[in-house]
Structures are given as C-alpha cells and as structure tokens.
Amino acid sequence: MDGAVERLKEIVDNTDNIVFFGGAGVSTESNIPDFRSTDGLYNQHYKYPPETILSHTFYMRNTEEFYRFYRDKMLYLDAEPNAAHLKLTQWEKEGKLKAVVTQNIDGLHQAAGSKMVYELHGSVLRNYCTTCGKFYGADYILDSTGIPKCECGGRIKPDVVLYEEGLDNEIMRKSIEAISGADVLIIGGTSLAVYPAAGLIDYYRGNKLVLVNKSATPMDSRADLLVQGSIGEIFSQL
C-alpha cells in the first residue's frame, strides 16, 4: 500500500461522515466505456458525434436515429458492480458513508446495494411515456425496435439528462446538502470538466477533500489528498 492510499485509509477509518462524488471512471472498470477516454465514445466514428446524438434537439428531431445509438452504445445491462461500488456499499452499511452523488446512469451503485444514491444525470434503468407517464425498464427499450412506444401509443423517453436539458432541481438540492454537510468528500473517476455537476465541489466546506483519479483534473490543487490510479484497485485496499 503506497503512502497516499495509506493516508486515505486513515481518513476513512477515522470518520463517519463521508460523501462520495463519482463519474465515468467508476463505471469503466465494469466495462462501461466513458465518453472522453482514449477508447471512449468520442473517439469512435459515427455519422454524428455522440454529444450531438445525445442532445435534446437530436432526440426530438431524429428520434429513431437517437434510439439506434442509444441501444447500441448506452445500454450495458450485463455490467456488474466493481470493487469501488462494493466498497462504497460496505461503508454505507458501516455508517461511514452518508451518500453517493453520481454522474453515471447505469444503476450500478444500487445494484451493489447502496441506498442513498443521487443520480445527477438520471438512469437508463428508468424510461417513461411522455404522454401518460408510465414507466418502463431498460429491457423494454433494448428489446424494442425503432421508436419505443407505450401501450397508450405515446413515445417513451429515457429518464436521463440529455445535453441541453437541465438537471433535476430536487436531486441537485439533495446533492448540495450532502456535500456541504460532509466531513470527508471523496471524488473519484471524474474529470471534473462537466458542469453544472463539477461545480458541486464548491459546496464542500470541510478540509479533507480527496481526489482519486487516473489522470489530473482542474481541481487537483484544491485537494487535501491526491490518489492516482485505478479507483477499483485503490478502493479494494481500503
């Protein structure tokens, strides 16, 4: 165990008020690709860039094309929680972790057993009819063709925040409340480049800000502890 990991273990062992804020790097170790890594979606070739396809405008104007991409590249229903998800669940059961704030939409934190999870960008596991509001699971979307329709005839939309759409106010409020009240804030697997989510770090008032990431972030200078490497490997040592 290197010095930074050992220091993180000391911090975790001596607190019962942790909040974890995570991004795509938490899911990549469950074989879910992120958007910005070397092998991510931004470096693959499509007729339109992913950021365009996953926008509200594109969804409204090219819904069938949106769903072709969405089924192919956004649904990883066989993915399983990794060591990071499982460690966070353990901490929650031990009373150490108060909340997980995540930018991920895969539901793996809940699959691992975490209860207090704030999904800033929604979840692919929830899909709703824009006409009657009925909810459908991800399997329904995956097994459908063309534009998925509700039994009432309405169009079904994933309960995820697309580009050009605002974050849910209640989820943001609860996330801010959790982060501002934390003694220890651990940020992992995120470039801290996507706003408004990245701005949540500004609400932290404590003096134990920990960044766990494979690469540098714009917020590194603000951290009290930097731990570089695979988040799954690091968390498995804690």
Side-chain angles (χ1 to χ4, degrees):
M1 186 183 295
D2 71 27
V5 177
E6 197 165 336
R7 174 66 183 132
L8 175 54
K9 188 175 189 310
E10 286 176 15
I11 291 172
V12 171
D13 288 346
N14 290 299
T15 187
D16 60 0
N17 186 12
I18 303 169
V19 168
F20 178 79
F21 174 41
V26 180
S27 293
T28 52
E29 294 181 41
S30 292
N31 296 316
I32 296 177
D34 74 348
F35 277 23
R36 292 171 177 80
S37 68
T38 304
D39 300 316
L41 295 179
Y42 276 102
N43 292 286
Q44 299 178 22
H45 299 288
Y46 297 95
K47 187 176 179 182
Y48 303 94
E51 193 168 24
T52 297
I53 298 173
L54 295 173
S55 69
H56 180 81
T57 298
F58 193 92
Y59 167 78
M60 296 300 292
R61 294 178 181 173
N62 303 276
T63 312
E64 192 162 348
E65 182 72 14
F66 168 90
Y67 269 110
R68 268 198 291 272
F69 177 88
Y70 185 81
R71 289 187 190 96
D72 188 33
K73 294 297 179 185
M74 302 302 291
L75 296 178
Y76 292 86
L77 305 187
D78 294 330
E80 295 184 356
N82 60 58
H85 298 107
L86 297 173
K87 182 59 69 172
L88 292 167
T89 299
Q90 177 191 322
W91 289 345
E92 185 181 64
K93 289 177 179 175
E94 292 172 350
K96 290 182 169 295
L97 183 79
K98 301 309 181 189
V100 170
V101 179
T102 180
Q103 295 170 280
N104 298 331
I105 58 176
D106 47 53
L108 288 181
H109 286 292
Q110 292 92 329
S114 290
K115 305 297 183 189
M116 196 61 67
V117 182
Y118 300 131
E119 296 172 312
L120 295 172
H121 297 153
S123 172
V124 298
L125 304 183
R126 299 186 302 269
N127 307 270
Y128 64 94
C129 173
T130 55
T131 301
C132 75
K134 180 177 178 178
F135 272 83
Y136 291 84
D139 284 325
Y140 185 88
I141 304 300
L142 197 59
D143 295 339
S144 64
T145 56
I147 301 171
K149 294 292 180 67
C150 176
E151 57 189 23
C152 80
R155 177 194 293 179
I156 297 173
K157 183 181 185 293
D159 191 16
V160 299
V161 179
L162 302 177
Y163 290 101
E164 304 169 346
E165 295 179 345
L167 303 189
D168 181 274
N169 287 334
E170 184 65 5
I171 296 295
M172 280 291 284
R173 184 188 69 77
K174 290 178 177 178
S175 299
I176 290 169
E177 189 176 84
I179 288 171
S180 62
D183 290 336
V184 176
L185 176 62
I186 302 175
I187 300 177
T190 173
S191 63
L192 291 172
V194 178
Y195 283 82
L200 288 173
I201 190 175
D202 294 332
Y203 292 94
Y204 179 58
R205 298 288 179 259
N207 61 358
K208 291 185 178 66
L209 174 62
V210 181
L211 293 187
V212 182
N213 222 27
K214 283 184 175 178
S215 53
T217 80
M219 305 294 183
D220 284 4
S221 62
R222 294 172 58 174
D224 299 290
L225 177 64
L226 283 175
V227 189
Q228 275 204 308
S230 155
I231 190 167
E233 291 176 15
I234 290 164
F235 273 39
S236 65
Q237 299 177 60
L238 300 176

XYZ file of all heavy atoms in Angstrom, residues 8-56:
389
model
N -5.376 7.727 2.823
C -6.815 7.664 2.570
C -7.479 6.667 3.515
O -8.571 6.925 4.039
C -7.083 7.282 1.109
C -8.549 7.064 0.707
C -9.404 8.279 1.071
C -8.652 6.782 -0.785
N -6.833 5.543 3.742
C -7.385 4.546 4.659
C -7.520 5.120 6.064
O -8.528 4.905 6.749
C -6.514 3.294 4.684
C -7.130 2.129 5.462
C -6.296 0.878 5.350
C -7.029 -0.319 5.934
N -7.569 -0.094 7.293
N -6.523 5.883 6.498
C -6.582 6.525 7.814
C -7.776 7.478 7.900
O -8.502 7.512 8.899
C -5.297 7.315 8.084
C -4.082 6.468 8.409
C -2.837 7.318 8.554
O -2.964 8.566 8.681
O -1.722 6.768 8.512
N -7.958 8.272 6.848
C -9.066 9.237 6.817
C -10.397 8.511 6.929
O -11.275 8.888 7.718
C -9.000 10.090 5.532
C -7.798 11.030 5.580
C -10.297 10.877 5.336
C -7.534 11.779 4.279
N -10.554 7.456 6.120
C -11.809 6.698 6.113
C -12.040 6.030 7.469
O -13.158 6.040 8.006
C -11.795 5.641 4.986
C -12.997 4.700 5.117
C -11.806 6.321 3.619
N -10.996 5.453 8.024
C -11.123 4.744 9.302
C -11.542 5.670 10.443
O -12.148 5.218 11.425
C -9.798 4.059 9.679
C -9.505 2.849 8.808
O -10.426 2.381 8.114
O -8.341 2.374 8.824
N -11.234 6.951 10.303
C -11.456 7.885 11.410
C -12.625 8.844 11.180
O -12.694 9.895 11.828
C -10.177 8.685 11.678
C -9.083 7.823 12.275
O -9.243 7.266 13.354
N -7.977 7.680 11.563
N -13.539 8.490 10.303
C -14.695 9.355 10.083
C -15.951 8.523 9.891
O -15.887 7.356 9.517
C -14.492 10.266 8.856
O -15.566 11.197 8.772
C -14.473 9.442 7.572
N -17.073 9.156 10.167
C -18.358 8.508 9.906
C -19.281 9.465 9.148
O -20.499 9.423 9.264
C -19.021 8.050 11.213
C -19.284 9.195 12.178
O -18.953 10.357 11.831
O -19.830 8.944 13.263
N -18.657 10.351 8.364
C -19.453 11.322 7.605
C -18.802 11.584 6.245
O -18.323 12.670 5.966
C -19.603 12.622 8.394
C -20.533 13.610 7.714
O -21.248 13.274 6.769
N -20.522 14.845 8.190
N -18.800 10.532 5.400
C -18.192 10.605 4.063
C -19.291 10.780 3.019
O -20.357 10.169 3.103
C -17.415 9.317 3.740
C -16.343 9.032 4.784
C -16.807 9.376 2.341
C -15.725 7.637 4.668
N -19.013 11.596 2.026
C -19.831 11.640 0.808
C -18.908 11.327 -0.358
O -17.774 11.828 -0.415
C -20.522 13.007 0.625
C -21.125 13.131 -0.773
C -21.608 13.192 1.680
N -19.376 10.492 -1.261
C -18.599 10.150 -2.453
C -19.264 10.767 -3.677
O -20.470 10.643 -3.881
C -18.530 8.634 -2.634
C -17.788 8.214 -3.886
C -16.401 8.211 -3.917
C -18.474 7.856 -5.042
C -15.709 7.848 -5.061
C -17.796 7.490 -6.193
C -16.406 7.487 -6.205
N -18.446 11.435 -4.490
C -18.932 12.038 -5.735
C -18.164 11.389 -6.884
O -16.942 11.514 -6.968
C -18.694 13.550 -5.685
C -19.031 14.277 -6.974
C -20.158 13.945 -7.710
C -18.226 15.304 -7.423
C -20.467 14.624 -8.888
C -18.524 15.990 -8.595
C -19.649 15.642 -9.322
N -18.864 10.657 -7.749
C -18.170 9.890 -8.775
C -18.641 10.137 -10.184
O -19.749 10.630 -10.426
N -17.763 9.758 -11.121
C -18.068 9.903 -12.540
C -17.782 8.633 -13.310
O -17.729 7.535 -12.747
N -17.558 8.786 -14.601
C -17.473 7.648 -15.522
C -16.388 6.652 -15.163
O -16.521 5.457 -15.423
C -17.250 8.158 -16.945
N -15.298 7.131 -14.540
C -14.209 6.239 -14.189
C -14.599 5.155 -13.204
O -13.934 4.125 -13.105
N -15.695 5.366 -12.468
C -16.192 4.334 -11.564
C -16.821 3.195 -12.365
O -16.769 2.036 -11.969
C -17.201 4.922 -10.566
C -17.714 3.850 -9.612
C -16.570 6.069 -9.772
N -17.404 3.532 -13.513
C -18.108 2.528 -14.323
C -17.216 1.844 -15.354
O -17.508 0.717 -15.760
C -19.286 3.189 -15.055
O -20.264 3.609 -14.134
N -16.142 2.506 -15.767
C -15.302 1.907 -16.810
C -14.708 0.577 -16.342
O -14.457 -0.315 -17.157
C -14.172 2.855 -17.242
O -13.461 3.303 -16.077
C -14.715 4.054 -17.990
N -14.500 0.442 -15.047
C -13.950 -0.811 -14.539
C -14.994 -1.932 -14.499
O -14.670 -3.071 -14.184
C -13.317 -0.574 -13.171
C -12.106 0.343 -13.296
C -11.410 0.616 -11.990
O -11.260 -0.314 -11.192
O -11.003 1.773 -11.779
N -16.229 -1.572 -14.814
C -17.275 -2.579 -15.027
C -17.521 -2.754 -16.524
O -18.571 -3.225 -16.949
C -18.568 -2.156 -14.322
O -18.405 -2.187 -12.918
N -16.534 -2.306 -17.311
C -16.561 -2.428 -18.782
C -17.657 -1.607 -19.441
O -18.214 -2.000 -20.471
C -16.668 -3.900 -19.196
C -15.454 -4.701 -18.777
O -14.323 -4.246 -18.936
N -15.677 -5.875 -18.207
N -17.956 -0.462 -18.851
C -18.854 0.505 -19.479
C -17.982 1.658 -19.971
O -17.344 2.334 -19.164
C -19.915 1.021 -18.488
C -20.821 -0.137 -18.051
C -20.731 2.148 -19.103
C -21.857 0.255 -17.013
N -17.902 1.882 -21.283
C -16.989 2.918 -21.792
C -17.431 4.319 -21.406
O -18.630 4.594 -21.284
C -17.047 2.730 -23.313
C -18.366 2.088 -23.569
C -18.638 1.220 -22.377
N -16.465 5.192 -21.174
C -16.827 6.586 -20.936
C -16.747 7.353 -22.254
O -16.463 6.793 -23.292
C -15.935 7.200 -19.851
C -14.526 7.489 -20.345
O -14.164 7.025 -21.439
O -13.782 8.180 -19.625
N -16.997 8.646 -22.189
C -17.059 9.442 -23.416
C -15.711 10.008 -23.829
O -15.477 10.256 -24.990
C -18.030 10.613 -23.217
C -19.469 10.247 -23.430
C -19.906 8.942 -23.313
C -20.390 11.215 -23.762
C -21.226 8.608 -23.503
C -21.725 10.893 -23.970
C -22.140 9.586 -23.835
N -14.841 10.239 -22.852
C -13.673 11.065 -23.159
C -12.324 10.354 -23.086
O -11.307 10.957 -23.346
C -13.670 12.288 -22.228
C -14.828 13.218 -22.540
C -14.984 14.314 -21.522
N -16.069 15.190 -21.935
C -17.345 14.934 -21.757
N -17.717 13.812 -21.165
N -18.272 15.764 -22.177
N -12.319 9.088 -22.727
C -11.049 8.374 -22.668
C -10.587 8.013 -24.074
O -11.300 8.199 -25.054
C -11.197 7.104 -21.833
O -12.017 6.182 -22.500
N -9.389 7.452 -24.159
C -8.826 7.072 -25.458
C -9.752 6.132 -26.216
O -9.902 6.225 -27.431
C -7.458 6.389 -25.257
O -6.628 7.275 -24.511
C -6.790 6.098 -26.582
N -10.389 5.221 -25.490
C -11.278 4.262 -26.138
C -12.744 4.661 -26.016
O -13.634 3.875 -26.310
C -11.091 2.865 -25.510
C -9.662 2.391 -25.670
O -9.112 2.561 -26.772
O -9.098 1.871 -24.694
N -12.976 5.877 -25.525
C -14.349 6.296 -25.268
C -15.135 6.597 -26.535
O -14.615 6.585 -27.652
N -16.396 6.933 -26.319
C -17.301 7.134 -27.445
C -16.898 8.301 -28.338
O -17.178 8.305 -29.523
C -18.726 7.360 -26.926
C -19.365 6.161 -26.210
C -20.760 6.539 -25.727
C -19.453 4.951 -27.127
N -16.214 9.305 -27.767
C -15.839 10.459 -28.575
C -14.764 10.111 -29.605
O -14.542 10.847 -30.545
C -15.345 11.599 -27.685
C -16.476 12.427 -27.136
C -16.914 12.261 -25.828
C -17.141 13.355 -27.928
C -17.960 13.009 -25.331
C -18.181 14.107 -27.432
C -18.597 13.931 -26.135
O -19.637 14.660 -25.637
N -14.086 9.005 -29.391
C -13.022 8.631 -30.318
C -13.460 7.554 -31.312
O -12.642 7.020 -32.043
C -11.808 8.153 -29.518
C -11.172 9.297 -28.750
O -10.515 10.136 -29.344
N -11.394 9.355 -27.464
N -14.735 7.229 -31.318
C -15.269 6.301 -32.299
C -15.960 7.115 -33.397
O -16.232 8.296 -33.250
C -16.235 5.322 -31.622
C -15.548 4.502 -30.549
C -16.508 3.567 -29.830
O -17.558 3.219 -30.358
N -16.143 3.167 -28.625
N -16.246 6.455 -34.498
C -16.752 7.193 -35.657
C -18.210 6.855 -35.946
O -18.558 5.706 -36.175
C -15.883 6.892 -36.880
C -14.454 7.288 -36.699
N -14.044 8.602 -36.679
C -13.329 6.555 -36.496
C -12.741 8.658 -36.479
N -12.285 7.423 -36.356
N -19.016 7.884 -35.916
C -20.434 7.757 -36.224
C -20.797 8.869 -37.194
O -20.026 9.808 -37.403
C -21.280 7.860 -34.948
C -20.997 6.756 -33.967
C -20.090 6.952 -32.928
C -21.600 5.509 -34.105
C -19.801 5.930 -32.039
C -21.323 4.483 -33.216
C -20.428 4.705 -32.182
O -20.146 3.695 -31.313
N -21.989 8.763 -37.727
C -22.463 9.786 -38.663
C -22.542 11.146 -37.964
O -22.298 12.193 -38.576
C -23.829 9.375 -39.215
C -24.345 10.264 -40.327
C -25.653 9.729 -40.869
C -26.201 10.618 -41.974
N -27.506 10.121 -42.481
N -22.890 11.108 -36.690
C -22.930 12.317 -35.863
C -22.079 12.057 -34.623
O -21.988 10.921 -34.164
C -24.361 12.640 -35.411
C -25.352 12.807 -36.523
C -26.125 11.723 -36.947
C -25.548 14.036 -37.143
C -27.053 11.867 -37.972
C -26.477 14.190 -38.160
C -27.227 13.105 -38.566
O -28.150 13.256 -39.571
N -21.483 13.099 -34.039
C -20.745 12.891 -32.780
C -21.718 12.551 -31.652
O -22.869 13.014 -31.657
C -20.069 14.243 -32.537
C -20.821 15.224 -33.357
C -21.388 14.490 -34.530
N -21.279 11.744 -30.679
C -22.167 11.345 -29.582
C -22.811 12.520 -28.859
O -23.978 12.440 -28.461
C -21.234 10.566 -28.650
C -20.189 10.023 -29.563
C -19.979 11.074 -30.604
N -22.062 13.608 -28.683
C -22.627 14.761 -27.971
C -23.836 15.335 -28.712
O -24.772 15.836 -28.091
C -21.558 15.831 -27.776
C -21.973 16.906 -26.790
C -20.803 17.777 -26.386
O -19.835 17.862 -27.163
O -20.854 18.378 -25.306
N -23.805 15.248 -30.038
C -24.949 15.706 -30.836
C -26.115 14.738 -30.707
O -27.264 15.142 -30.481
C -24.543 15.840 -32.317
O -23.526 16.826 -32.439
C -25.737 16.236 -33.184
N -25.814 13.442 -30.837
C -26.880 12.429 -30.773
C -27.576 12.453 -29.416
O -28.800 12.289 -29.318
C -26.299 11.020 -31.040
C -25.710 10.956 -32.455
C -27.371 9.945 -30.882
C -24.972 9.661 -32.761
N -26.795 12.674 -28.360
C -27.355 12.640 -27.010
C -27.830 14.013 -26.546
O -27.855 14.302 -25.353
C -26.314 12.091 -26.034
C -25.916 10.631 -26.285
C -24.773 10.219 -25.381
C -27.114 9.705 -26.103
N -28.268 14.827 -27.481
C -28.819 16.139 -27.151
C -30.340 16.099 -27.252
O -30.924 15.253 -27.947
C -28.280 17.209 -28.102
O -28.802 17.016 -29.414
N -30.974 17.019 -26.562
C -32.437 17.098 -26.591
C -32.937 17.398 -28.004
O -33.916 16.803 -28.471
C -32.913 18.194 -25.632
C -34.394 18.352 -25.597
N -35.227 17.533 -24.866
C -35.219 19.233 -26.246
C -36.478 17.898 -25.052
N -36.505 18.927 -25.878
